[in-house]
Amino acid sequence: MPTVLRLPDRRSDEESLWALVEAGAVEVEAEGEDLLGLFVGEPPTLPGARVEPALMFDQGDTWAASLRPFQVGPLRIAPLGQPGDLVLESGPAFGSGQHPSTRLVLDRLALRPPTGRVLDVGTGNGILALAALRLGAASAVGVDTDPAALPIAASNAARAGLSDRLELRADLPEQPFDLILVNIVADTVLDLAPALLTRLAPGGELCASGVSELRRAEVERGLRRLGLHVPGGEESGGWWRIDALASW
Ligand SMILES: C[S@@+](CC[C@H](N)C(=O)[O-])C[C@H]1O[C@@H](n2cnc3c(N)ncnc32)[C@H](O)[C@@H]1O
C-alpha cells in the first residue's frame, strides 16, 4: 500500500529532498510549502515527517509515473512484471527513471547515443549504465557505495542479458572512460570531480546530474576550474544536468 511522507515547510530544503530520495521515495513533489515523498512499501522514519495515505496516487500526475513504463528514444523502460526493452526492479535502490535528474541523463543518452566505454557513478539499480549499453555503449562500469544497490543492478543486468558488458563495483576503477555519468547531489559531484577527471579519456564527456538550480553555477564553476569545458546543460523540474567536455 503506497504511503506519503509529508515534511511540512521544507519545500526549498535540498537536504530534506535528498533525505526522501535516499530513503527510497519513488517520487518527490512539493505541495504548497511542504515536501512529499511517495513510498511503495513501509515508509522510513524521518524527523518531523507525517505519514499519510497516498490519496493522490495514480491520479494522473507524476506520483504514479515511476511505476509505469516510459519511453526514452527507442527504449521502453519498464518496471518488473511489464514488457519493455529494459525491465528494471528498484527495491531499495534508486533508479525508477522518473526522477527528473535521471530522465535528464537518459534523454542525453538517447539524443547522443554513446559508443565507447561508460562509467556510471552512483549507479543505483543500474538504470543509466544499462540504458547506455542498450543504446550502443561498448561496455560500462557501474559504481555504488550503497551495498543494497549492487545486487539489484546485477539482477537487472542479468535480466537484460547485459551482465558480460557491465562491471559493478563499490569503488572507482582506474581505466579511462569516454563518457562518465554521475547523478548524485551537488556536493558529491564536486567532491568526486577531481577523481573522475583522471578517468576521463581525451575527448571524453562528464555528464553531471542531480544538481539543483541553487547549486548549478557553483558546480559549473568547479568543473571549469578543473579544466573542463562546460558548454551548458539541460533543466527539468528545477534539476540540472551539466555537460562538461574534456579539454584534452
Ligand atoms: C540519486 S541516486 C542515482 C541512481 C541512478 N543512477 C539514477 O540516475 O536514477 C544516487 C546513487 O549514488 C549512490 N552514491 C552516493 N554517494 C556515492 C559515492 N560517493 N560514490 C558512489 N555512489 C554514491 C547512492 O547510493 C545512490 O544509489
Side-chain angles (χ1 to χ4, degrees):
M1 182 63 185
T3 39
V4 163
L5 212 55
R6 178 185 292 271
L7 293 168
D9 295 313
R10 309 250 199 111
R11 184 193 176 95
S12 315
D13 182 357
E14 194 179 337
E15 258 184 49
S16 296
L17 191 153
W18 281 99
L20 286 170
V21 168
E22 269 156 18
V26 294
E27 199 61 61
V28 178
E29 278 199 356
E31 187 188 280
E33 286 312 299
D34 300 351
L35 210 51
L36 284 75
L38 174 70
F39 291 82
V40 176
E42 197 60 16
T45 311
L46 290 181
R50 293 204 305 261
V51 180
E52 300 175 359
L55 294 178
M56 291 167 65
F57 191 73
D58 211 6
Q59 296 291 303
D61 58 19
T62 56
W63 283 104
S66 51
L67 305 174
R68 294 190 185 124
F70 61 97
Q71 197 72 28
V72 176
L75 276 191
R76 177 182 158 97
I77 300 184
L80 208 54
Q82 302 204 41
D85 304 301
L86 200 53
V87 175
L88 301 173
E89 65 172 308
S90 292
F94 191 98
S96 71
Q98 288 291 335
H99 193 278
S101 64
T102 309
R103 289 300 290 269
L104 285 164
V105 183
L106 290 170
D107 289 345
R108 182 257 173 252
L109 293 172
L111 267 177
R112 285 177 282 138
T115 51
R117 303 151 293 182
V118 173
L119 174 62
D120 173 17
V121 185
T123 196
N125 70 354
I127 184 169
L128 300 179
L130 293 169
L133 288 170
R134 270 278 185 272
L135 289 164
S139 63
V141 178
V143 175
D144 207 295
T145 46
D146 177 357
L150 297 180
I152 293 172
S155 104
N156 285 329
R159 188 178 313 102
L162 292 169
S163 303
D164 56 335
R165 287 159 62 204
L166 177 65
E167 181 193 348
L168 292 164
R169 48 192 293 159
D171 57 352
L172 291 174
E174 292 303 331
Q175 70 264 35
F177 292 88
D178 305 295
L179 177 63
I180 300 181
L181 311 172
V182 53
N183 175 22
I184 319 184
V185 284
D187 283 336
T188 313
V189 169
L190 287 172
D191 282 355
L192 287 175
L196 298 183
L197 287 212
T198 65
R199 287 145 174 102
L200 195 58
E205 178 177 341
L206 171 67
C207 177
S209 194
V211 178
S212 70
E213 172 67 38
L214 293 172
R215 307 290 302 276
R216 177 193 168 203
E218 180 193 348
V219 172
E220 285 191 359
R221 258 198 317 276
L223 296 178
R224 284 199 182 102
R225 217 174 283 136
L226 289 169
L228 289 165
H229 174 54
V230 185
E234 285 287 324
E235 184 269 352
S236 171
W239 296 93
W240 278 85
R241 184 198 75 224
I242 297 168
D243 301 328
L245 308 174
S247 51
W248 51 94

